[in-house]
Amino acid sequence: ANLTSMETLNLRDNDLKGSIPDGIGKLFNLSSLRLSYNALIGTIPDGFSNLSKLEIIHLHGNRLRGTLPILALNNNNESSFIADCGSPSDFETPLECPSCTMCCNTLQECDATKEANVRYGIRAVYTMAAMLGFLLLVVIISFYYRRLKKLGTRTFHSIRRFFNIEDTPYDEHDAIGRESVYSFFLGGSVTGWILAILVLITQGFCFSFFIKGSTLELENDKDWVYKVVCPRDSDDCRNTSDVEPLGWIYFAIILAVHLLHDLLSGLKLLWSASRYGLSRKSFQVFFGGFSLFFITLLAVYTSVVYNVAISRSNLELIYNTVILLFVNDIDEKLYETLAVINPRWLGDITEEINTVFCTPTQDYADEAEGNVVEVDPDPKFEVNPDPTVETVERGRETNEEIINLIQDIQREREELKKERALKDKEIGFLKKEIISIREEMMSERAKKDEEIESMKKIMLAIRDQLMSQRGNEQVW
């Protein structure tokens, strides 16, 4: 029979074995070909490339190998061209299908091949580069903003009065986080800088692992979770993801609560960096703000792409987000650990930061008048009779008194421990003596009991003799 006019051929789930016949490539009017869920082996005949009217071809659920030919389908649907080109595969090298619109694995899980074209790692690099350009723009705008204030133009002051803009004191230490190792960027301790940079690198590498696992690689079995199922009893595929818009709303709320403060604080630090001119303090504030903004934005980006790749329910969405937030809190956890290990060293760094970045109120008054406070670029700064400095000195003296008091208490505690140990030894000796005396008394008592028993036996023997003698006398 002449089958060249056939348009639809559906042999799905018929337990067909062997290879695909070459004759199918001669069905030039064929628009729909479904050979899924059989036991077909081998490769696709080259004649398939001649099927110019083909719109749907389903080859998944078989054991085909090699490389499928490039087919120009007349349908752009995601389920137009499906094959077993996903991972894990029954073979060491999965089936290669350059023109497939969807790939399935041995678990009968499928996903669109367009997802494999998304390289989240490259996008992360572009995002961070754009972020760096944006931060540099913020610093430049801040610099010219303060230069404009220095000119003291009437237009500038009119704009500030119209929008009710006021200059208020700003604490860089609070912005970067007093209980974060990133605050070491504001200090002069080399060890503190090394620790802060190591934490920054560690967090960056941790987030990069999650970003790498978020990329769909059809030839490798990565963290990506396939979200489409093409069942045997249906010609259509369906999405199995249960993530709802409400889940993404909760996701956004959680990120905003935990990370929005750090993002805004990083921007504020970058904005205030120009206040110190070209000095070491300006570099410290800029680098601290850049690090805080960078790692926070990377945490947001990683949370989004990883949940897109992995989360298939609202619960998984929240669960993965909480895990990634733990990575973002490494800097604070390390600070808490250092507070337990070496609190004195940590206190010295904190006092140094509070002293260096303690801005007198007059500076803000000068800025409010339109003058820029010029800071000496030399890191050495004079000691002025400032109330804040006196407060810091009094606090240092108070800390020394507290430390001395703690040391005295510890010494008295050690002495009490020694006295208690001596008393315990004496009590031990007394217990041993009591036990030995008791044993001696028990032994003496046993001896006396033996003597009494022997005396009783002798008396009984004498009585028996007397009784026997008396009986003899009566007989006589």
Side-chain angles (χ1 to χ4, degrees), residues 161-178:
R161 285 193 297 269
F162 179 78
F163 289 102
N164 195 22
I165 300 176
E166 297 181 359
D167 289 314
T168 56
Y170 185 68
D171 191 345
E172 288 83 0
H173 198 184
D174 285 333
I176 201 168
R178 290 182 176 272

Side-chain angles (χ1 to χ4, degrees), residues 284-303:
Q284 288 176 294
V285 175
F286 172 81
F287 193 83
F290 171 79
S291 301
L292 181 62
F293 191 87
F294 166 79
I295 203 65
T296 306
L297 183 62
L298 186 61
V300 174
Y301 178 83
T302 306
S303 300

Side-chain angles (χ1 to χ4, degrees), residues 354-371:
N354 290 334
T355 304
V356 172
F357 288 93
C358 179
T359 306
T361 307
Q362 184 62 34
D363 293 346
Y364 295 99
D366 293 338
E367 288 190 1
E369 294 294 331
N371 300 323

Side-chain angles (χ1 to χ4, degrees), residues 8 90 95 193 214 253 268 330 376 385 419 427 455 469:
T8 301
D90 289 332
L95 181 69
W193 270 75
S214 302
I253 293 174
K268 286 184 177 180
I330 292 178
D376 187 5
E419 292 179 359
I427 292 172
M455 291 293 292
Q469 289 178 2

Side-chain angles (χ1 to χ4, degrees), residues 210-324:
F210 285 98
I211 293 174
K212 185 177 180 181
S214 302
T215 302
L216 174 59
E217 296 181 5
L218 298 175
E219 67 277 7
N220 295 321
D221 188 10
K222 292 291 186 178
D223 294 342
W224 183 280
V225 178
Y226 291 75
K227 59 178 178 293
V228 179
V229 172
C230 300
R232 293 174 176 267
D233 56 350
S234 177
D235 293 335
D236 299 325
C237 300
R238 56 183 175 85
N239 194 323
T240 59
S241 177
D242 294 330
V243 180
E244 301 173 351
L246 183 61
W248 286 108
I249 292 174
Y250 283 126
F251 165 79
I253 293 174
I254 292 174
L255 286 187
V257 170
H258 285 84
L259 302 180
L260 185 59
H261 173 269
D262 291 341
L263 286 174
L264 296 178
S265 297
L267 287 176
K268 286 184 177 180
L269 285 170
L270 292 167
W271 182 265
S272 65
S274 62
R275 184 162 63 92
Y276 299 100
L278 297 177
S279 63
R280 188 185 72 175
K281 293 171 66 175
S282 176
F283 172 76
Q284 288 176 294
V285 175
F286 172 81
F287 193 83
F290 171 79
S291 301
L292 181 62
F293 191 87
F294 166 79
I295 203 65
T296 306
L297 183 62
L298 186 61
V300 174
Y301 178 83
T302 306
S303 300
V304 173
V305 299
Y306 191 74
N307 278 300
V308 169
I310 302 300
S311 299
R312 296 297 175 256
S313 65
N314 293 336
L315 182 60
E316 291 180 357
L317 183 65
I318 304 302
Y319 179 77
N320 294 329
T321 304
V322 172
I323 292 177
L324 289 167

Side-chain angles (χ1 to χ4, degrees), residues 342-383:
N342 197 343
R344 179 177 296 181
W345 175 76
L346 209 59
D348 293 339
I349 292 180
T350 302
E351 289 183 5
E352 176 191 0
I353 295 172
N354 290 334
T355 304
V356 172
F357 288 93
C358 179
T359 306
T361 307
Q362 184 62 34
D363 293 346
Y364 295 99
D366 293 338
E367 288 190 1
E369 294 294 331
N371 300 323
V372 174
V373 179
E374 298 292 341
V375 181
D376 187 5
D378 188 0
K380 299 180 180 179
F381 45 89
E382 299 179 357
V383 178

